[in-house]
Amino acid sequence: NAGVTQTPKFQVLKTGQSMTLQCAQDMNHNSMYWYRQDPGMGLRLIYYSASEGTTDKGEVPNGYNVSRLNKREFSLRLESAAPSQTSVYFCASSGGLGIINQPQHFGDGTRLSIL
Amino acid sequence: GIQVEQSPPDLILQEGANSTLRCNFSDSVNNLQWFHQNPWGQLINLFYIPSGTKQNGRLSATTVATERYSLLYISSSQTTDSGVYFCAVAYNDYKLSFGAGTTVTVRA
């Protein structure tokens, strides 16, 4: 039972490069989320997808795009990476529609460094 | 959005000690969760607890929604309890707002 799987686990980019972070869940959850975690801080929501076919902005969406490819997969794209986007990125999912009465389950994270 | 404050920011415990972590939030919530981030960075959901009390082994949590706080109790702490504990609250159907966390170090 894999739960939430993120790839890659580590990545180093140069400023201006683009890349896509992948996330897949096998729990048949409707809602999926992308967060970033910076040193000494809690997680901040970048984007979320309440259900297949919908996406919406969170607290810190600038510089990112997302795609809900199907019910299982939710990707995060950096079009032109900037040093300020150096962070640890977490994908999460929850059952039902949204998080009412539902716990969130997290992947192991992607550590992204932008030089 | 809702403000979430956790205290203390850091906690050092001797193995076997008990401790209480606190989470205060600024508005009514319909979802409160506690997470443990282990030293390898993995985030584990400990409790979904919008109100009342729950227990899971040596851990228990209480949320008093009317007074806008939640407490996480660690009893008979072990070195494997080390890490960062986060409280997160929902401010609408889809968004969780996280506190800055309490870093717990349990010494053998």
Side-chain angles (χ1 to χ4, degrees):
Chain A
N1 186 3
V4 180
T5 302
Q6 292 183 233
T7 55
K9 295 190 184 306
F10 302 93
Q11 185 71 49
V12 178
L13 294 177
K14 295 181 180 179
T15 297
Q17 287 185 315
S18 63
M19 82 160 295
T20 300
L21 308 185
Q22 306 287 351
C23 175
Q25 52 90 11
D26 63 2
M27 296 176 282
N28 201 35
H29 284 170
N30 285 307
S31 300
M32 298 184 73
Y33 312 81
W34 276 106
Y35 293 89
R36 61 178 287 173
Q37 184 180 29
D38 299 303
M41 299 179 68
L43 279 72
R44 292 183 292 169
L45 183 64
I46 304 171
Y47 271 94
Y48 66 96
S49 170
S51 61
E52 185 179 356
T54 69
T55 62
D56 224 324
K57 296 179 180 179
E59 300 174 67
V60 289
N62 292 344
Y64 305 95
N65 287 302
V66 290
S67 295
R68 184 73 182 268
L69 304 171
N70 48 55
K71 190 172 185 178
R72 291 186 62 248
E73 298 172 289
F74 188 38
S75 63
L76 178 71
R77 183 163 178 82
L78 287 70
E79 290 290 351
S80 179
S84 61
Q85 294 177 304
T86 294
S87 190
V88 180
Y89 291 84
F90 287 95
C91 177
S93 70
S94 61
L97 286 175
I99 52 174
I100 301 302
N101 301 324
Q102 299 289 341
Q104 277 201 346
H105 300 274
F106 283 81
D108 288 346
T110 295
R111 284 152 182 78
L112 183 61
S113 294
I114 299 163
L115 308 177
Chain B
I2 293 179
Q3 304 302 311
V4 183
E5 294 184 357
Q6 293 187 241
S7 60
D10 299 282
L11 191 59
I12 299 176
L13 300 171
Q14 200 63 34
E15 198 169 28
N18 303 327
S19 63
T20 301
L21 283 60
R22 188 177 179 101
C23 172
N24 292 330
F25 43 95
S26 61
D27 206 341
S28 300
V29 299
N30 48 30
N31 183 320
L32 187 146
Q33 302 184 31
W34 282 97
F35 296 88
H36 175 223
Q37 187 168 37
N38 65 26
W40 296 270
Q42 296 171 317
L43 276 160
I44 307 299
N45 193 302
L46 298 175
F47 294 103
Y48 163 77
I49 183 167
S51 64
T53 297
K54 289 187 177 180
Q55 182 151 9
N56 183 1
R58 295 179 296 100
L59 301 180
S60 62
T62 295
T63 297
V64 184
T66 54
E67 297 186 23
R68 301 181 184 171
Y69 73 88
S70 183
L71 303 174
L72 178 69
Y73 305 95
I74 305 174
S75 64
S76 303
S77 58
Q78 299 178 359
T79 56
T80 52
D81 296 329
S82 295
V84 184
Y85 290 81
F86 290 103
C87 168
V89 301
Y91 60 92
N92 69 20
D93 287 353
Y94 299 100
K95 298 180 183 179
L96 277 179
S97 182
F98 281 74
T102 293
T103 301
V104 174
T105 303
V106 182
R107 292 179 173 166

